[in-house]
Amino acid sequence: MSSILSGVSRSLLPRVRCTVLQWRLASGATPHATSSSSEKPAEFYDIIIAGGGMVGTTLACSLGKNPRLADRRILLLEAATGFKQPSTETYSNRVSAISKGTHRLMKAIGAWEQIEATRVKPVLKMQVWDACSDALITFNYDDLADNISWIVENDVLLASVYRQLEGVKNVDIRYGARMEGCGLIRDGAEMSTVRLSNGEQLQCELLVGADGYNSLVRRTMGVDNFTLAYDQMGVVATLKLGGAAANNVTAWQRFLPTGPVALLPLNDEMSSLVWSTSISEAKRLLHLDDHSFVAALNEALTKSYPRNNVIEEVLKNVNSFITSTTGQRLEQPPLVEAVVEKSRAAFPLGLGHTSTYVGHGVCLIGDAAHRVHPLAGQGVNLGFGDVQCLTDVLADANYSGLGLNNLAQLVKYEQERLRHNVPVILTTHGLQRLYTTDFPPIVGLRSIGLTITNSLPPVKKFLMNYAMS
C-alpha cells in the first residue's frame, strides 16, 4: 500500500520544467500582430478560458465580477452550440456534493440565490460503512445544526452561473467554438493564441485550460501528466425511495469489495445514485430492466458478506467499548423503490494529475489539472477551489500592475492549490485501493481504524472541515 502511495506521490509533486522556466517574460502585449497582411487580424482578449463546463464558466463569472479585473476583456469558449436549460420537471442524473468553500464562492458571484430558487438539498449527516465488517463512520455537526454539504444537480449549478454572466459586461461567450489548436508565449511569441475549427484566430495575454482531463491546452504545454485508470465505471441514476425515507437529509455510502455505492439526497423521497464498480458489472447493470436493477441495488446496500471469525471477535471487543462511549450504531439506508426511467448512465473512473499547473501566459484548472475518484465527492470542489485561488491571484497581479501572464504570480496559484489538491488526491486514491479488497487482514485493519476514528470527534471535525473547505 505504501509503495503505491509513494509512487503516486512522486508523480504528483510539482516540478516546473526547465522549458517552462526558460519561457521569455513578455510584458505589455498589444493586439497588433497578424500572420499576414491578407488575413483578418486576430481578435484580442486579455483572458481566454477554454471550456464552458461548470468550472470554466464559474471562473469567467468570478473574474468578470471582480472589481480589480473590471478593465480586462474575458472570453469563454464553449464547444456546444448553445446552453441547455435544466428540466423543471425531472432531476438530472449528474449531481455534485457542494462543499462549504464552493458554497461561499457561489454566494460571492451571486449564483447561490438562483440555485436555491431552482433545486438544492442540504446534507446534514453522512454515514459511511464497510460491507465486509459493518465498521462505520458518521459525519455531522453537533445536533445536526449545520450542513456538511449541499447536493446540487450539475445542470442547475451551471444554469445559475450562466444567469449571472448575463449581466457581466466584460465577459463574452462564444458557443460552437471548438478549439483546434493553440500557441503559447514562448520562442519569441508575444501572446498566447487560439485557433478555432472555423479558422478564426484569437490572441490573449492569458489562456486558461478548463477543457477537461483530455485537455488540449495541457497537451500543448507539453508537461507530464500522471494518469491511472481504475478499471471501474461510475453508474449514476435517479431513484425513488421507500416511505421510510421521509425527511431525507442523510447521504449514505457503503464500501463493497467492488467499489462504493452511494445515495445522495435530492428531496425527501428521492436520491441520486453513484455506484462505482467494475466495467463489466457496470455494463450489466445498465442493461438490466428497471425492476432487476432496483433489486440489484437493494442487495448491494444490504447484502451480508462472509466474515472472518478472528477479525469479528476483535471488532466485537472494539465496538463494545466504542459504542458504550459514543452510542453510535449502524443505521440501515432506506430501500430503493424505483429507478426513474432513462436516468441510468455510466462514466469511466480514473486518477490524473499534471506535473505543473502553469506556464508563462497559460494555466490549468479543474479536470485539466487533476482528476479524482468520486468516492469522497471532491472532484468538482477541487476545481472550484482552483477558481477562487486563481481569481485572487490574477486580481492582485492586475491591481499591482504585474500583468496577467507573469509566471512568478501564476506560480503562487500553483503552489497554493498543490498544497490542498495533492493530499486530497492521495487520500482518495489510498481509500480506493484500501477498500477494493476483501483480504481479511486488510479488512481487519481498515475496520479498526474506521471505528477508532469514528470515536474521536475532533478528528472527524478536522476531516470534515478540510474536505469541505
Side-chain angles (χ1 to χ4, degrees), residues 244-275:
N247 195 30
N248 182 25
V249 294
T250 302
W252 310 87
Q253 181 165 264
R254 190 184 199 206
F255 278 99
L256 310 176
T258 53
V261 55
L263 302 182
L264 308 176
L266 294 174
N267 59 36
D268 287 352
E269 300 172 346
M270 301 181 73
S271 284
S272 183
L273 170 71
V274 183
W275 187 352

Side-chain angles (χ1 to χ4, degrees), residues 40-62:
K40 179 182 177 180
E43 188 171 2
F44 176 81
Y45 285 87
D46 295 290
I47 302 171
I48 294 178
I49 302 168
M54 289 191 293
V55 173
T57 303
T58 301
L59 177 65
C61 191
S62 180

Side-chain angles (χ1 to χ4, degrees), residues 129 131 254 256 261 275 295-303 305:
W129 75 108
R254 190 184 199 206
L256 310 176
V261 55
W275 187 352
L297 177 54
N298 282 324
E299 181 184 21
L301 291 168
T302 59
K303 177 182 176 180
Y305 286 82

Side-chain angles (χ1 to χ4, degrees), residues 169-453:
K169 296 181 179 179
N170 63 329
V171 176
D172 293 339
I173 306 174
R174 294 198 188 183
Y175 296 107
R178 188 171 298 278
M179 192 167 62
E180 195 171 81
C182 57
L184 307 178
I185 300 177
R186 58 187 177 189
D187 301 327
E190 291 184 347
M191 289 169 280
S192 294
T193 60
V194 171
R195 185 176 71 258
L196 302 181
S197 58
N198 63 2
E200 186 177 1
Q201 300 276 350
L202 303 170
Q203 294 180 330
C204 61
E205 189 174 345
L206 177 66
L207 174 62
V208 180
D211 48 342
Y213 67 88
N214 287 322
S215 171
L216 174 60
V217 176
R218 186 189 65 234
R219 296 199 304 270
T220 304
M221 289 173 67
V223 296
D224 292 336
N225 186 51
F226 175 84
T227 60
L228 178 65
Y230 285 131
D231 294 325
Q232 286 187 324
M233 298 188 79
V235 177
V236 295
T238 305
L239 310 171
K240 296 179 181 179
L241 305 180
N247 195 30
N248 182 25
V249 294
T250 302
W252 310 87
Q253 181 165 264
R254 190 184 199 206
F255 278 99
L256 310 176
T258 53
V261 55
L263 302 182
L264 308 176
L266 294 174
N267 59 36
D268 287 352
E269 300 172 346
M270 301 181 73
S271 284
S272 183
L273 170 71
V274 183
W275 187 352
S276 303
T277 188
S278 66
I279 294 174
S280 59
E281 177 65 5
K283 292 179 178 179
R284 187 187 76 84
L285 291 171
L286 290 180
H287 286 92
L288 291 177
D289 61 67
D290 288 352
H291 178 77
S292 299
F293 178 80
V294 169
L297 177 54
N298 282 324
E299 181 184 21
L301 291 168
T302 59
K303 177 182 176 180
S304 295
Y305 286 82
R307 307 296 172 88
N308 180 282
N309 292 334
V310 175
I311 293 174
E312 282 293 290
E313 188 62 29
V314 172
L315 286 176
K316 182 179 178 180
N317 293 330
V318 173
N319 276 313
S320 177
F321 173 75
I322 296 299
T323 53
S324 66
T325 58
T326 66
Q328 289 188 352
R329 295 184 182 276
L330 180 67
E331 297 180 24
Q332 293 301 319
L335 289 178
V336 178
E337 194 172 81
V339 58
V340 174
E341 187 178 2
K342 297 182 180 179
S343 68
R344 277 181 278 170
F347 56 93
L349 304 178
L351 178 149
H353 196 269
T354 185
S355 59
T356 180
Y357 294 0
V358 303
H360 187 196
V362 63
C363 66
L364 303 171
I365 64 172
D367 285 356
H370 42 74
R371 181 187 180 201
V372 297
H373 195 286
L375 66 87
Q378 289 300 300
V380 76
N381 288 308
L382 293 183
F384 287 132
D386 296 346
V387 167
Q388 184 63 70
C389 181
L390 184 59
T391 298
D392 293 341
V393 167
L394 294 179
D396 289 345
N398 193 50
Y399 182 77
S400 303
L402 297 174
L404 302 176
N405 60 16
N406 186 294
L407 184 56
Q409 296 301 306
L410 292 174
V411 165
K412 292 181 180 179
Y413 153 73
E414 177 184 70
Q415 291 174 337
E416 181 174 335
R417 293 311 298 161
L418 284 169
R419 280 194 293 269
H420 183 85
N421 293 348
V422 170
V424 171
I425 293 169
L426 287 173
T427 300
T428 303
H429 175 70
L431 289 172
Q432 194 276 336
R433 288 299 193 230
L434 185 64
Y435 279 93
T436 49
T437 179
D438 55 3
F439 183 53
I442 300 297
V443 172
L445 289 173
R446 76 193 186 199
S447 298
I448 292 171
L450 195 66
T451 304
I452 292 175
T453 303

